[in-house]
Amino acid sequence: MGKEIELKTAPADYRFPTTNQTRHCFTRYIEFHRCVAAKGDEGNDCERFAKYYRSLCPSEWVERWNEQRENGTFPGPL
Amino acid sequence: MIESQRHSYHLVDPSPWPISGSLGALATTVGGVMYMHSFQGGATLLSLGLLFILYTMFVWWRDVLRESTLEGHHTKVVQLGLRYGFILFIVSEVMFFFAFFWAFFHSSLAPTVEIGGIWPPKGIGVLDPWEIPFLNTLILLSSGAAVTWAHHAILAGKEKRAVYALAATVLLALVFTGFQGMEYYQAPFTISDSIYGSTFFLATGFHGFHVIIGTLFLIICGIRQYLGHLTKEHHVGFEAAAWYWHFVDVVWLFLFVSIYWWGGI
């Protein structure tokens, strides 16, 4: 018997109390990139934001937003 | 007029204008759909329909004018009915604009992630509310004051002064429209630039359209005042135009505060 796998999603956030978590996902995505911009991607400071948005956001959205950031057309406040 | 009439209600004569207006509206609708879907003859039918409506409006109002000013059918009770009718019309106009404000606040109070969750959306260079829009607020408020001046002149029987006051009102209205046109021309965004452009031009554009209608209404009042159609006791047409003008004025104040000012921060 190996170690049990721990399954976890993003914790409940009082800013996003509704069933629809679209905005929660989007905000975590932005928070991750703001964190990286501020602290760099060496340390593990920003890792938790990445976990949150990855568990909340559909991967197609993340792909699209990554593309938009590369093209400089991402509409969010980074 | 029937000599045995024992009441003061206006029983209108049969008129061809309701059906001609309806046919014009039908041609406009069908022609408009055809035109927008690039059918052959669409533009022709659309123009024909609009021409028909314009013609109907002219002759129908000409008849109303004859019935009221020349034949004296607009008794006190008829005037009351006209006032009620016009107030209900303005109420329906309020609802019309309410819908556009609803669309604006729906889109701006909780901006979707597609526009980055921010308002105004990134890349929209908003217009400074304290330049042309604020000047236009002052111009429109002044024209509201001028129309009140005209009203007092009519009530006091000062006929010439009423014409001058109406001319001043119309002049201010034209300056407002000119500034709006200029600002539209120079605006850094268009109606197809995101939900911001859509809500902005839908709301302000329909307001501008109503300003133009109100201006035409006031011009007609000015001409009728000049011709001596309006008296101290009887000037329902003028009152309706003044109410309409104040309505357009109030809509602008809401547009200025919510769309130009709050919506641009």
Side-chain angles (χ1 to χ4, degrees), chain B residues 223-264:
Chain B
I223 294 170
R224 294 191 66 205
Q225 174 62 37
Y226 179 75
L227 294 174
H229 289 190
L230 309 178
T231 67
K232 263 162 100 159
E233 299 83 19
H234 191 164
H235 46 265
V236 184
F238 169 83
E239 267 183 41
W243 287 342
Y244 193 79
W245 196 241
H246 287 310
F247 156 73
V248 165
D249 207 345
V250 170
V251 170
W252 172 260
L253 293 180
F254 279 99
L255 286 176
F256 176 74
V257 173
S258 24
I259 295 184
Y260 286 93
W261 188 8
W262 176 81

Side-chain angles (χ1 to χ4, degrees), chain B residues 1 5 7-10 67-68 72-85 155 231-236 239:
Chain B
M1 207 182 187
Q5 185 173 312
H7 59 78
S8 47
Y9 293 96
H10 179 199
E67 288 161 1
S68 60
H73 285 298
H74 287 192
T75 56
K76 282 288 169 203
V77 72
V78 173
Q79 290 180 44
L80 186 68
L82 288 168
R83 284 198 183 85
Y84 273 125
L155 290 175
T231 67
K232 263 162 100 159
E233 299 83 19
H234 191 164
H235 46 265
V236 184
E239 267 183 41

Side-chain angles (χ1 to χ4, degrees), chain B residues 161-180:
Chain B
R161 196 177 299 175
V163 175
Y164 293 147
L166 274 167
T169 313
V170 168
L171 209 72
L172 287 162
L174 292 175
V175 172
F176 173 90
T177 307
F179 274 137
Q180 279 298 84

Side-chain angles (χ1 to χ4, degrees), chain A residues 16-76:
Chain A
F16 310 101
T18 54
T19 309
N20 188 335
Q21 291 287 298
T22 302
R23 221 168 283 276
H24 191 177
C25 128
F26 187 65
T27 304
R28 289 310 197 186
Y29 179 84
I30 287 172
E31 281 171 349
F32 170 71
H33 287 286
R34 278 183 171 175
C35 176
V36 170
K39 300 184 177 174
D41 46 9
E42 271 93 74
N44 284 337
D45 299 333
C46 306
E47 207 35 48
R48 60 193 182 97
F49 294 117
K51 275 185 183 164
Y52 296 162
Y53 89 69
R54 278 178 197 140
S55 67
L56 287 164
C57 299
S59 50
E60 309 89 85
W61 293 11
V62 174
E63 281 163 30
R64 187 169 71 227
W65 292 336
N66 286 341
E67 231 169 79
Q68 287 177 336
R69 277 191 309 108
E70 278 170 34
N71 300 333
T73 56
F74 183 69

